Amino acid sequence: MKKYIANITAGLMAFTLLAGCNKGDGTSNAIPPAKEHTCSFTQEVVAPEYLKKGPTCTTPAMYYYSCTCGEKDKDFFTIGEARGHRGGTATATQKATCTVCGQEYGDYAGGTHTHAYTERVTTSKYLKSEATCGDPAVYYYACACGEVGTDTFEYGEPTGKHTGGTATATQKATCTVCGQEYGDYLEETHTHAYTEMVTTSKYLVSEATCGDPAVYHYSCACGEVGTNTFEYGEPTGEHTGGTATETQRATCTVCGQEYGDFAKPEEPEEHVCVFEMVVDAQYLRKKATCEYPASYYLSCTCGETSLEYFYNGAKEDHVELVPATELSRAICAVCEEEYGDFLPHDHVYTKRIVSAEYLKKAATCGTPAEYWLVCACGEKSTSLSYQAGDPTGKHEVGTPATTTSQAVCKNCLQPYGETLLSAVTNISISSGYTRYDLGTALSRKTEGFGTQFDTCIVEQQNGMSEADWQVQVKALKEMNLQNVRVRFYPEMYERGNDNNDPYSFDYQSASVDFNSLEMQHLYKLLDAFEENGVKVDLSWYGCRTTFASEDGLIKGSWLGGKLSESYNGLTPNWIVAPWKTSNPNEEFAESVAECLGYLFNEKGYTCINEYSIFPEPDGMFNPGTGKAM
C-alpha cells in the first residue's frame, strides 16, 4: 500500500511543477508546451541500432540515415571499405577462390595476365561519383586482379535528398545539384499575391488549340496557384481529329471546321496467284481412261491455272477392241493391252516355260531342274512336268565330314570331299610361324554375336534421320545381334558436381540432367535393345576431357578437366581418370551407381546385363598424380 501512495504523491508533485505559478507581475514560470516534431533524416550515425548490413567482400558497411530524435529512415549510407576477398591459392591457369563468398579474385600465379574489366566492385577505390538527389553512385569496372578500368556502371539508388540553397518567405531553397526547388518557405507570415504569370505545366489550365492560345492560372511568388487565369502565346492553327473520306474532308474535333485534303482512293493490292487442287470441270486436263484417273490443272481463286496438274478419282474400265477367247484374253481399244480372263475352256498342258513361277524342283548335283507343263492360258499343271537344263554338279551337305569320314550329299547320298583330318593335315604353314592344333573344345559357351553400338551415331551433328535410324534397327534384327557395348561418360547426365558429397546424391541439383540430349540418345538405343532382347554392357570409359554438350552449355569434365589444359606439366588424353574434387574416385563411383539406379528403377530397363569402367585404360592417366592407369 505504501508503494501506491508514494507513486500518487510523486505524480501530484510533478503536476504541481508543470502547472507553475503566477508571479503576480503578469508573468508565469509555467513550462511552455513542446512544439510538434517533424523528423529530418540527415544524421549519419554509425551505431548498431542503425546498421543495415555489415561489410562484405565487395561492399562496405551500410547504415540507415537517422533523425536527432532517434528514428531511422529507409534510405542508407555506406561507410568504410569492403573487406575484400581472402583465402584460396592462385595458379597459372586459375585465380584464387575467396573462402568467404566463393568468387575468383586477384591475378594468376606467375603467368601473363590480360585485364578483363568485368567486375562490379562498389568500394571507394572504384568510386567515380557519389549518389546525389537524382542519380545513383557511379563506379569504374574493375579487373579481378584489382586493376581499375575506364568504363563505368551505376549502383544503388539516388539519395532523393536535395542540398544547398536558401529558402525565403516567398521562395523555397534551390538544390545546388539538380536545380529543383525543395523544402518549405521560411516560417513567416505570408499573404499570397496572385500576380505572377508563370507558364509551366503546374499552372496550365488548357493547352493551345487551333483557335485559342494556352490558358494558365495566375500564381503567387511563393508558387501557390491562384484561381484567375490569363492567356499566353498564339493558337496552334493546327486542326485535329476527324477522318477524311474520298468525298469529305476531316472535321476538327475542337472547332468543328473542315480541314485538310480528301482521302485518296485505295489502290487495289497486286494479286499473287496461289495454286491449289480444285476438282472442277473448268480445270479438267484429261478425262479418266483405263490407264489413268482424271487429271486437273492446279488453279487459283482468280481463275488462273498452272501448268502443273494432279490426278483424282479412279481409272475407267477397259474398252473392248478384240474379245477374249479360250486361248487369249480381250484387247483394250484405248491402251491396246490384254485384260480380263480367258473364256472357259478345258486346259491343255503342252507349253514349256522355264520360269521360277512354274518350277517344281530345283536342279541338284545329279539331276536337272524340273518344271510344270503349262496351258496356253497360263494355268500350270499339278501332275505333268518335264526336266530342263543341266545338273549343278555341286553337292550339298547332308552329313558333315568328320576326322575319319567324308561329308555325305543330301541329294545323291554319295560321300564327297576330304575328311577333317586330311584337310587340317594339308594346311601350309609359312616360314616363321608355328602350328598349334586344338584337340578339345572350349569349356566356356559362346554367349552370342556382339558389337560396339555408341550414342554418337544418333547425335544431331551426324545428321541421322529417322529413316536412317530404322535402317540400323532393321540390321540389328536381321543380324540377330545379341550383345552390345555402349560407350558412356558421367558428363552426359551429371554435367557438374551435384553437391560435393559423394555419399549423398542430389537428383534436384541444377547440375544433374537425366533428360539431356545425350541421355535422350542413350534412351533411343536402349529402347531398341530392350525391344529386341539385346544384352547391354554399359561402359563408363572414364572422364572425357573433350566432352561438349549438344546444347553448348558444357565444355570438358568436372571430374577430369579439359583437353586444352595442362596438369603438372602433363597433357591429358581425351579420356582420363577422375582426379578433380577432394574425393574424385568416390565421386566417380557415386555417379556410376546413381545412374544405374535411375536406369533400372526410374526407366525400368532390363536389357542392361552388365556395366564396366575404364575398358580401354592403355591411353589413360591421372593428371593429378601423373601416374598411368
Side-chain angles (χ1 to χ4, degrees):
M1 179 62 71
K2 292 180 179 180
K3 178 179 180 182
Y4 297 130
I5 294 173
N7 288 340
I8 294 171
T9 305
L12 290 173
M13 291 174 65
F15 175 79
T16 304
L17 290 172
L18 291 173
C21 62
N22 195 321
K23 296 180 178 181
D25 59 359
T27 63
S28 172
N29 64 356
I31 298 173
K35 292 184 179 180
E36 183 180 351
H37 173 67
T38 300
C39 286
S40 176
F41 298 107
T42 58
Q43 302 297 309
E44 296 184 359
V45 180
V46 179
E49 58 266 29
Y50 302 116
L51 179 66
K52 172 180 172 63
K53 186 178 181 182
T56 66
C57 298
T58 57
T59 59
M62 303 177 187
Y63 290 84
Y64 290 107
Y65 282 101
S66 60
C67 180
T68 54
C69 70
E71 286 293 319
K72 63 181 178 182
D73 195 8
K74 295 181 179 179
D75 292 332
F76 60 92
F77 63 95
T78 60
I79 190 169
E81 302 289 338
R83 292 183 183 274
H85 298 292
R86 57 186 179 275
T89 303
T91 67
T93 59
Q94 188 170 358
K95 300 175 185 177
T97 299
C98 178
T99 55
V100 178
C101 67
Q103 294 184 14
E104 291 186 352
Y105 72 98
D107 206 346
Y108 301 95
T112 302
H113 173 61
T114 302
H115 294 300
Y117 299 106
T118 58
E119 302 295 318
R120 296 165 64 100
V121 184
T122 55
T123 62
S124 59
K125 176 179 178 180
Y126 307 100
L127 181 66
K128 179 180 180 182
S129 58
E130 294 183 344
T132 65
C133 51
D135 297 299
V138 178
Y139 293 84
Y140 290 105
Y141 278 99
C143 180
C145 68
E147 188 69 18
V148 182
T150 56
D151 293 335
T152 60
F153 65 95
E154 294 182 343
Y155 180 78
E157 302 292 335
T159 63
K161 297 181 180 297
H162 299 290
T163 184
T166 304
T168 68
T170 59
Q171 188 172 353
K172 300 177 183 178
T174 300
C175 178
T176 55
V177 176
C178 65
Q180 294 184 19
E181 292 186 352
Y182 72 97
D184 298 320
Y185 301 98
L186 287 181
E187 294 184 2
E188 297 179 5
T189 304
H190 172 63
T191 302
H192 294 299
Y194 299 109
T195 58
E196 302 294 320
M197 299 176 66
V198 183
T199 56
T200 62
S201 59
K202 177 179 179 179
Y203 308 103
L204 181 66
V205 176
S206 60
E207 293 182 347
T209 65
C210 52
D212 297 300
V215 177
Y216 295 85
H217 285 290
Y218 280 99
S219 60
C220 179
C222 69
E224 189 70 18
V225 182
T227 56
N228 295 330
T229 61
F230 64 94
E231 293 182 344
Y232 180 80
E234 301 293 334
T236 63
E238 297 180 0
H239 299 289
T240 184
T243 303
T245 66
E246 296 178 24
T247 59
Q248 186 173 354
R249 295 183 295 175
T251 300
C252 177
T253 54
V254 177
C255 66
Q257 295 183 17
E258 290 187 357
Y259 70 98
D261 298 322
F262 298 99
K264 294 181 180 180
E266 293 185 2
E267 296 182 1
E269 294 183 2
E270 182 180 355
H271 174 68
V272 178
C273 284
V274 178
F275 295 108
E276 299 177 335
M277 293 188 295
V278 178
V279 177
D280 191 288
Q282 62 179 320
Y283 306 125
L284 180 66
R285 174 179 171 268
K286 285 185 179 180
K287 294 182 179 180
T289 67
C290 55
E291 295 181 288
Y292 303 101
S295 61
Y296 297 84
Y297 289 108
L298 295 176
S299 60
C300 177
T301 53
C302 69
E304 287 292 321
T305 57
S306 170
L307 294 177
E308 298 181 16
Y309 57 90
F310 65 96
Y311 291 104
N312 182 72
K315 298 179 182 179
E316 292 289 328
D317 294 333
H318 292 285
V319 178
E320 185 178 83
L321 176 64
V322 179
T325 68
E326 295 178 357
L327 301 178
S328 64
R329 294 184 297 171
I331 298 177
C332 177
V334 177
C335 64
E336 299 181 353
E337 297 288 338
E338 290 186 349
Y339 70 93
D341 298 322
F342 298 91
L343 291 181
H345 65 284
D346 294 328
H347 296 296
V348 178
Y349 301 108
T350 58
K351 296 187 70 173
R352 297 189 175 194
I353 302 176
V354 178
S355 170
E357 181 181 358
Y358 304 111
L359 180 66
K360 177 182 180 182
K361 186 178 180 182
T364 65
C365 55
T367 59
E370 189 174 357
Y371 295 88
W372 296 109
L373 287 171
V374 182
C375 178
C377 69
E379 185 72 18
K380 66 183 178 181
S381 173
T382 58
S383 59
L384 302 175
S385 62
Y386 66 99
Q387 290 183 336
D390 299 315
T392 64
K394 296 181 180 179
H395 297 290
E396 296 183 56
V397 178
T399 302
T402 67
T403 56
T404 58
S405 61
Q406 297 172 283
V408 177
C409 177
K410 72 175 183 179
N411 296 312
C412 67
L413 304 180
Q414 297 297 316
Y416 69 97
E418 298 178 314
T419 64
L420 293 181
L421 184 59
S422 62
V424 172
T425 304
N426 295 333
I427 294 176
S428 176
I429 306 300
S430 301
S431 175
Y433 291 87
T434 301
R435 172 174 171 168
Y436 293 96
D437 292 329
L438 299 177
T440 59
L442 294 173
S443 60
R444 180 177 176 181
K445 179 182 177 182
T446 301
E447 293 184 359
F449 176 72
T451 186
Q452 185 93 2
F453 210 126
D454 293 335
T455 59
C456 60
I457 66 173
V458 293
E459 289 178 358
Q460 294 176 349
Q461 63 180 354
N462 292 325
M464 176 175 282
S465 65
E466 183 59 28
D468 296 333
W469 169 243
Q470 292 305 321
V471 171
Q472 297 285 336
V473 175
K474 182 181 179 182
L476 177 152
K477 294 179 180 179
E478 293 182 349
M479 294 170 67
N480 191 24
L481 197 62
Q482 295 149 29
N483 291 271
V484 296
R485 183 175 76 173
V486 179
R487 184 175 61 184
F488 200 43
Y489 317 100
E491 296 81 16
M492 295 170 70
Y493 55 91
E494 190 172 1
R495 297 150 73 91
N497 199 348
D498 64 310
N499 59 7
N500 207 30
D501 181 357
Y503 304 103
S504 176
F505 193 78
D506 183 6
Y507 282 92
Q508 304 304 317
S509 169
S511 298
V512 176
D513 187 1
F514 279 102
N515 199 37
S516 66
L517 290 174
E518 288 75 22
M519 290 302 290
Q520 291 180 40
H521 299 332
L522 176 67
Y523 301 150
K524 191 179 188 75
L525 267 60
L526 293 180
D527 289 343
F529 300 150
E530 187 82 17
E531 181 180 349
N532 292 280
V534 181
K535 294 181 179 179
V536 178
D537 170 16
L538 199 56
S539 184
W540 274 263
Y541 267 47
C543 305
R544 185 173 179 181
T545 61
T546 58
F547 180 77
S549 62
E550 289 197 56
D551 59 14
L553 299 178
I554 307 299
K555 301 288 185 183
S557 168
W558 61 276
L559 265 176
K562 299 180 180 179
L563 183 64
S564 60
E565 297 174 321
S566 177
Y567 309 99
N568 298 328
L570 300 173
T571 301
N573 203 338
W574 69 283
I575 287 290
V576 298
W579 70 279
K580 284 200 164 189
T581 73
S582 55
N583 299 286
N585 292 330
E586 289 82 354
E587 289 286 0
F588 188 86
E590 176 199 40
S591 186
V592 172
E594 294 298 336
C595 181
L596 287 171
Y598 184 86
L599 295 174
F600 289 141
N601 302 324
E602 297 297 325
K603 301 296 289 186
Y605 288 117
T606 60
C607 59
I608 301 175
N609 185 54
E610 60 189 19
Y611 76 94
S612 56
I613 57 176
F614 314 126
E616 300 177 14
D618 56 320
M620 299 177 61
F621 74 97
N622 187 326
T625 63
K627 296 180 180 179
M629 287 291 297

Short mmCIF file of all heavy atoms in Angstrom, two decimals, residues 457-481:
data_model
loop_
_atom_site.label_atom_id
_atom_site.label_comp_id
_atom_site.label_asym_id
_atom_site.label_seq_id
_atom_site.Cartn_x
_atom_site.Cartn_y
_atom_site.Cartn_z
N ILE A 457 26.16 -42.25 -82.97
CA ILE A 457 25.55 -42.44 -84.30
C ILE A 457 24.24 -41.68 -84.43
O ILE A 457 23.80 -41.39 -85.54
CB ILE A 457 25.33 -43.93 -84.61
CG1 ILE A 457 24.29 -44.55 -83.67
CG2 ILE A 457 26.62 -44.70 -84.57
CD1 ILE A 457 23.90 -45.96 -84.05
N VAL A 458 23.59 -41.35 -83.31
CA VAL A 458 22.31 -40.63 -83.39
C VAL A 458 22.44 -39.18 -82.93
O VAL A 458 21.44 -38.49 -82.77
CB VAL A 458 21.21 -41.33 -82.56
CG1 VAL A 458 20.86 -42.66 -83.16
CG2 VAL A 458 21.64 -41.51 -81.11
N GLU A 459 23.69 -38.71 -82.71
CA GLU A 459 23.86 -37.30 -82.33
C GLU A 459 23.43 -36.40 -83.48
O GLU A 459 23.57 -36.75 -84.65
CB GLU A 459 25.32 -37.03 -81.98
CG GLU A 459 25.74 -37.66 -80.65
CD GLU A 459 27.21 -37.41 -80.35
OE1 GLU A 459 27.88 -36.80 -81.19
OE2 GLU A 459 27.67 -37.85 -79.27
N GLN A 460 22.94 -35.21 -83.14
CA GLN A 460 22.44 -34.27 -84.15
C GLN A 460 23.50 -33.89 -85.17
O GLN A 460 23.22 -33.71 -86.34
CB GLN A 460 21.90 -33.02 -83.46
CG GLN A 460 20.67 -33.29 -82.60
CD GLN A 460 20.22 -32.04 -81.86
OE1 GLN A 460 20.91 -31.04 -81.80
NE2 GLN A 460 19.03 -32.10 -81.27
N GLN A 461 24.77 -33.79 -84.70
CA GLN A 461 25.84 -33.36 -85.60
C GLN A 461 26.09 -34.36 -86.73
O GLN A 461 26.66 -34.01 -87.76
CB GLN A 461 27.13 -33.16 -84.81
CG GLN A 461 27.64 -34.45 -84.16
CD GLN A 461 28.91 -34.22 -83.37
OE1 GLN A 461 29.48 -33.15 -83.40
NE2 GLN A 461 29.36 -35.24 -82.66
N ASN A 462 25.67 -35.61 -86.55
CA ASN A 462 25.88 -36.62 -87.58
C ASN A 462 24.72 -36.71 -88.56
O ASN A 462 24.78 -37.47 -89.53
CB ASN A 462 26.13 -37.98 -86.94
CG ASN A 462 27.46 -38.00 -86.21
OD1 ASN A 462 28.42 -37.38 -86.64
ND2 ASN A 462 27.52 -38.69 -85.07
N GLY A 463 23.65 -35.95 -88.32
CA GLY A 463 22.57 -35.80 -89.29
C GLY A 463 21.77 -37.05 -89.59
O GLY A 463 21.23 -37.20 -90.68
N MET A 464 21.68 -37.99 -88.64
CA MET A 464 20.92 -39.20 -88.91
C MET A 464 19.42 -38.92 -88.85
O MET A 464 18.91 -38.40 -87.87
CB MET A 464 21.27 -40.30 -87.90
CG MET A 464 20.43 -41.55 -88.07
SD MET A 464 20.91 -42.91 -86.99
CE MET A 464 22.35 -43.51 -87.85
N SER A 465 18.72 -39.25 -89.93
CA SER A 465 17.27 -39.08 -89.97
C SER A 465 16.59 -40.29 -89.33
O SER A 465 17.24 -41.31 -89.04
CB SER A 465 16.79 -38.94 -91.42
OG SER A 465 17.03 -40.15 -92.13
N GLU A 466 15.28 -40.20 -89.11
CA GLU A 466 14.54 -41.32 -88.55
C GLU A 466 14.58 -42.52 -89.49
O GLU A 466 14.66 -43.68 -89.05
CB GLU A 466 13.08 -40.90 -88.28
CG GLU A 466 12.23 -41.99 -87.62
CD GLU A 466 12.78 -42.46 -86.28
OE1 GLU A 466 13.47 -41.66 -85.60
OE2 GLU A 466 12.55 -43.63 -85.92
N ALA A 467 14.55 -42.24 -90.81
CA ALA A 467 14.64 -43.33 -91.79
C ALA A 467 15.99 -44.04 -91.68
O ALA A 467 16.08 -45.28 -91.76
CB ALA A 467 14.43 -42.79 -93.19
N ASP A 468 17.08 -43.25 -91.48
CA ASP A 468 18.42 -43.84 -91.31
C ASP A 468 18.46 -44.71 -90.06
O ASP A 468 19.07 -45.79 -90.04
CB ASP A 468 19.48 -42.75 -91.21
CG ASP A 468 19.60 -41.93 -92.49
OD1 ASP A 468 19.28 -42.48 -93.56
OD2 ASP A 468 19.98 -40.75 -92.41
N TRP A 469 17.83 -44.23 -88.98
CA TRP A 469 17.82 -44.99 -87.73
C TRP A 469 17.09 -46.31 -87.91
O TRP A 469 17.52 -47.34 -87.38
CB TRP A 469 17.18 -44.15 -86.63
CG TRP A 469 16.87 -44.93 -85.38
CD1 TRP A 469 15.66 -45.17 -84.83
CD2 TRP A 469 17.82 -45.58 -84.51
NE1 TRP A 469 15.77 -45.92 -83.69
CE2 TRP A 469 17.08 -46.19 -83.47
CE3 TRP A 469 19.20 -45.72 -84.53
CZ2 TRP A 469 17.69 -46.91 -82.45
CZ3 TRP A 469 19.81 -46.45 -83.51
CH2 TRP A 469 19.06 -47.03 -82.48
N GLN A 470 16.00 -46.32 -88.66
CA GLN A 470 15.26 -47.56 -88.88
C GLN A 470 16.09 -48.57 -89.66
O GLN A 470 15.91 -49.79 -89.50
CB GLN A 470 13.94 -47.26 -89.61
CG GLN A 470 12.93 -46.49 -88.76
CD GLN A 470 12.63 -47.18 -87.44
OE1 GLN A 470 12.52 -48.42 -87.36
NE2 GLN A 470 12.51 -46.38 -86.38
N VAL A 471 17.00 -48.08 -90.51
CA VAL A 471 17.92 -49.00 -91.20
C VAL A 471 18.82 -49.68 -90.18
O VAL A 471 19.07 -50.89 -90.27
CB VAL A 471 18.78 -48.22 -92.23
CG1 VAL A 471 19.88 -49.11 -92.80
CG2 VAL A 471 17.91 -47.69 -93.36
N GLN A 472 19.29 -48.93 -89.17
CA GLN A 472 20.11 -49.52 -88.11
C GLN A 472 19.33 -50.57 -87.32
O GLN A 472 19.84 -51.65 -87.02
CB GLN A 472 20.60 -48.41 -87.17
CG GLN A 472 21.49 -47.36 -87.80
CD GLN A 472 22.89 -47.86 -88.05
OE1 GLN A 472 23.36 -48.78 -87.40
NE2 GLN A 472 23.57 -47.26 -89.01
N VAL A 473 18.08 -50.24 -86.99
CA VAL A 473 17.25 -51.17 -86.21
C VAL A 473 16.99 -52.44 -87.03
O VAL A 473 17.03 -53.56 -86.50
CB VAL A 473 15.93 -50.50 -85.81
CG1 VAL A 473 15.00 -51.49 -85.12
CG2 VAL A 473 16.20 -49.30 -84.88
N LYS A 474 16.72 -52.27 -88.33
CA LYS A 474 16.47 -53.43 -89.19
C LYS A 474 17.71 -54.33 -89.24
O LYS A 474 17.60 -55.56 -89.16
CB LYS A 474 16.11 -52.95 -90.60
CG LYS A 474 15.80 -54.09 -91.56
CD LYS A 474 15.46 -53.55 -92.94
CE LYS A 474 15.18 -54.70 -93.91
NZ LYS A 474 14.90 -54.20 -95.29
N ALA A 475 18.91 -53.72 -89.37
CA ALA A 475 20.14 -54.50 -89.39
C ALA A 475 20.34 -55.24 -88.07
O ALA A 475 20.76 -56.41 -88.04
CB ALA A 475 21.33 -53.58 -89.66
N LEU A 476 20.01 -54.56 -86.96
CA LEU A 476 20.12 -55.18 -85.64
C LEU A 476 19.27 -56.45 -85.57
O LEU A 476 19.70 -57.48 -85.04
CB LEU A 476 19.69 -54.16 -84.58
CG LEU A 476 19.63 -54.54 -83.12
CD1 LEU A 476 19.87 -53.29 -82.26
CD2 LEU A 476 18.28 -55.13 -82.73
N LYS A 477 18.05 -56.37 -86.12
CA LYS A 477 17.14 -57.51 -86.09
C LYS A 477 17.62 -58.62 -87.02
O LYS A 477 17.64 -59.80 -86.65
CB LYS A 477 15.74 -57.07 -86.48
CG LYS A 477 15.08 -56.12 -85.50
CD LYS A 477 13.69 -55.70 -85.96
CE LYS A 477 13.03 -54.76 -84.99
NZ LYS A 477 11.69 -54.33 -85.44
N GLU A 478 17.98 -58.27 -88.27
CA GLU A 478 18.34 -59.27 -89.26
C GLU A 478 19.66 -59.97 -88.90
O GLU A 478 19.85 -61.14 -89.25
CB GLU A 478 18.43 -58.62 -90.64
CG GLU A 478 17.08 -58.13 -91.17
CD GLU A 478 17.18 -57.53 -92.56
OE1 GLU A 478 18.32 -57.32 -93.03
OE2 GLU A 478 16.12 -57.28 -93.16
N MET A 479 20.57 -59.27 -88.23
CA MET A 479 21.83 -59.89 -87.82
C MET A 479 21.68 -60.70 -86.53
O MET A 479 22.63 -61.36 -86.10
CB MET A 479 22.88 -58.80 -87.60
CG MET A 479 23.28 -58.05 -88.87
SD MET A 479 24.30 -56.59 -88.50
CE MET A 479 25.78 -57.38 -87.89
N ASN A 480 20.49 -60.64 -85.95
CA ASN A 480 20.23 -61.33 -84.68
C ASN A 480 21.28 -60.93 -83.63
O ASN A 480 21.88 -61.76 -82.96
CB ASN A 480 20.22 -62.85 -84.87
CG ASN A 480 19.69 -63.57 -83.62
OD1 ASN A 480 18.94 -62.99 -82.83
ND2 ASN A 480 20.09 -64.82 -83.45
N LEU A 481 21.54 -59.62 -83.54
CA LEU A 481 22.54 -59.10 -82.62
C LEU A 481 22.13 -59.44 -81.19
O LEU A 481 20.99 -59.20 -80.78
CB LEU A 481 22.63 -57.57 -82.80
CG LEU A 481 23.86 -56.90 -82.23
CD1 LEU A 481 25.11 -57.41 -82.93
CD2 LEU A 481 23.76 -55.39 -82.41
#
